[in-house]
Amino acid sequence: MTTVVAGGLAVLGAAPASAATPTGGCWVYSPTTPSNIEDTVPASQTSSTLAPWANPGPADYTLTSSGSNAVGGTRNFSMTFNEGPTNGGPPASGTVYYYFSVNGTNLPAISKAFSAGGAAPIPGDTINGSYNITAAGTQNIVLRKVYYDIPSFLTRVACNGQATGVRINPSGGVNPATTPVDTNITTSFTAVNAPAASITAVSNQTVTTHARRNDVISFSVTDFTDGSASAQLCDSAGNNCDTGTSSFTVTGGAGTGTLNVGASPTTGSRRLKVTSGADTRLVPITILANVTFNITATGNNVTFSGSNWDPNQSVSVGGYLAPPPIPPNPTSDAPTTVTADSTGAITGSFTVSAGQSTVTAFIGASRIHANGPPPTVLFASQSFGDACVAKVGTATTGSCSLVETVNLTVNAGDLKMSKVSGPVVMSAVTLDGTATTSSGSLQDVTVKDYRGGTLGWSLVGRFSGLSNGGFSITPDKLTWAPTCTAGGNNNDTVTAGAGGAFADSATALPLCSVVAGGFGADGTSGGDTVADAGLTLAVAANQAAGSYTGTITLTLS
């Protein structure tokens, strides 16, 4: 028989400042249903008065929590106590069950083996648990109750916040065994919503799960760190990102932005990586590769399939004449229309009429992806038949054509620049008691845009001012007059920056630029541009004599 008595070991050392003694006390009884740890109908009751949690006590219990504080995260909790109730009988062992709750919702019991010597307290211990945070706001973690189960003696000890200890044999009364109450051992923290990001739209698409080159992805974020934020396309781990990056601002935890997929994106399964401060979220998106189209022909009956078309949007499939032009002209057979599935795959059938079988060179699929101008047309085709008859029998007239499809991949080059070597040499001045000027010009800079895309560029300059170690000339004393000359391989509209003085060393002045849309007849940017600027420096009448040095920093973006 195990009893709880008013005797035990003293607590060694000082309790932590955050430790507390649980309210209520403990009660010894025999359970009616041993398999039900929380059974509140005792078969018999050993205790007649409430026993303390520790004797002589005080019992010191400390409950803390750590880990995630965001909804969806895991919060860990840990409870440490110095000693349990005192065993008044022979040595005993069994299983102890600890019950906790969070905001009134009960957590599964945490069980551990325990043992206590004869007439000795149950040793102290540390109990660890965790739970998944499901809502924002204050989270109160509470120790509800503890049961020490000792099957070898058909005995159980219930310890909880019940402060009344009344026994009415065999199973009645108000006490910790019959009427358990939560304890005062608690800890709390504030849970917050986890940062979230979502794709809200993709230009030229009806879905938010797919995009292709030059599409624009729109997105929004909530519960992010305020400040400057960025977005880019990366792999599933958030690494190996494409070069294109967009910036936006998060205010009050929320923000919206857009990201241009670019002319040469990495295709396949990608992630929109959104970052603000320490917050990063990865949103899945598929970047579509070039469309594909394949056919199988049995006579004039054609079945077809394809991939990488715009999901959930229509595709027109029909017959085409031999080129020129490219793409070739359609035959008189009415095209059929199919709708790509959610992944961009198409399947279907098409019949070449008897009257068109000799002139149909291709079966092709097409759709207008973007209206432009100029429009972006998705087109793929496959030759209809790989053999033909030019003359039948002994006929002296007739001809036929076979078409070989030529595929070409044009890879984008780089946007870069170079300059003529050597420093900028300003004309020397001789002091004569009056303000004067010095003149010069930049060493020519050649901007080389070999990307073959629809992106512009900008070249700006910053002036540090001049110094000879002891004296200086401030940046605002220098003015420049930009000139920009397009090379023979460049038909873009190149704009020279306005002339003027540098306000300070941090302020950039435009030198040359090509704005998006300022392209030539080919509709793409590209070619060489030579940038120069005439320089005029105001020198004060009493400027200290000497050799001065400074820098003009040119930045291309």
Side-chain angles (χ1 to χ4, degrees), residues 89-370:
S93 62
T95 303
V96 55
Y97 298 85
Y98 299 90
Y99 290 82
F100 295 86
S101 67
V102 178
N103 290 351
T105 299
N106 296 335
L107 301 179
I110 301 172
S111 60
K112 298 184 71 173
F114 82 95
S115 61
I122 296 172
D125 202 353
T126 296
I127 313 303
N128 297 313
S130 64
Y131 73 98
N132 187 61
I133 303 171
T134 59
T138 301
Q139 305 276 299
N140 292 311
I141 306 172
V142 177
L143 171 64
R144 297 174 54 220
K145 54 191 177 182
V146 181
Y147 290 100
Y148 294 90
D149 188 43
I150 311 161
S152 58
F153 292 112
L154 297 177
T155 297
R156 189 168 294 161
V157 181
C159 298
N160 53 62
Q162 176 59 259
T164 300
V166 175
R167 178 181 70 183
I168 300 177
N169 283 326
S171 58
V174 177
N175 54 62
T178 63
T179 316
V181 175
D182 290 356
T183 76
N184 62 320
I185 304 302
T186 182
T187 186
S188 64
F189 71 98
T190 300
V192 298
N193 288 315
S198 62
I199 296 173
T200 56
V202 179
S203 66
N204 308 312
Q205 303 287 350
T206 61
V207 298
T208 58
T209 55
H210 292 68
R212 68 172 67 250
R213 65 180 184 179
N214 294 326
D215 284 351
V216 176
I217 301 170
S218 299
F219 57 87
S220 65
V221 300
T222 57
D223 298 299
F224 263 65
T225 300
D226 285 358
S228 298
S230 64
Q232 55 191 149
L233 288 172
C234 308
D235 65 18
S236 59
N239 302 319
N240 300 313
C241 301
D242 291 350
T243 56
T245 302
S246 72
S247 300
F248 66 104
T249 301
V250 177
T251 304
T256 60
T258 59
L259 175 66
N260 192 305
V261 174
S264 302
T266 302
T267 58
S269 178
R270 302 289 282 167
R271 299 294 185 272
L272 175 68
K273 179 181 181 181
V274 185
T275 302
S276 181
D279 295 332
T280 296
R281 285 295 179 268
L282 302 175
V283 185
I285 188 168
T286 297
I287 304 302
L288 296 164
N290 292 332
V291 294
T292 69
F293 185 72
N294 300 287
I295 69 170
T296 299
T298 303
N300 288 355
N301 297 316
V302 177
T303 59
F304 59 83
S305 63
S307 62
N308 293 321
W309 296 88
D310 294 338
N312 299 342
Q313 300 198 63
S314 61
V315 178
S316 178
V317 177
Y320 290 86
L321 303 173
I326 292 292
N329 291 320
T331 67
S332 60
D333 284 339
T336 185
T337 300
V338 295
T339 300
D341 68 13
S342 60
T343 68
I346 60 170
T347 58
S349 62
F350 177 76
T351 300
V352 178
S353 67
Q356 295 295 306
S357 61
T358 59
V359 297
T360 300
F362 291 99
I363 305 298
S366 67
R367 71 165 273 101
I368 297 177
H369 173 68

Side-chain angles (χ1 to χ4, degrees), residues 392-418:
V392 178
T394 59
T396 58
T397 61
S399 66
C400 72
S401 300
L402 291 177
V403 177
E404 296 278 353
T405 300
V406 179
N407 295 321
L408 169 67
T409 299
V410 179
N411 295 314
D414 300 321
L415 174 65
K416 54 190 177 180
M417 65 177 174
S418 62

Side-chain angles (χ1 to χ4, degrees), residues 454-465:
T454 57
L455 303 173
W457 53 265
S458 173
L459 180 62
V460 300
R462 291 179 176 83
F463 178 47
S464 66

Side-chain angles (χ1 to χ4, degrees), residues 32-125:
T32 298
T33 308
S35 61
N36 181 8
I37 301 301
E38 297 180 273
D39 182 14
T40 56
V41 181
S44 63
Q45 302 181 73
T46 303
S47 292
S48 58
T49 59
L50 202 64
W53 286 76
N55 202 339
D60 288 332
Y61 280 66
T62 302
L63 181 59
T64 59
S65 70
S66 61
S68 175
N69 67 341
V71 173
T74 298
R75 189 71 176 186
N76 305 311
F77 59 88
S78 179
M79 184 182 74
T80 301
F81 63 96
N82 59 340
E83 65 177 38
T86 297
N87 171 25
S93 62
T95 303
V96 55
Y97 298 85
Y98 299 90
Y99 290 82
F100 295 86
S101 67
V102 178
N103 290 351
T105 299
N106 296 335
L107 301 179
I110 301 172
S111 60
K112 298 184 71 173
F114 82 95
S115 61
I122 296 172
D125 202 353

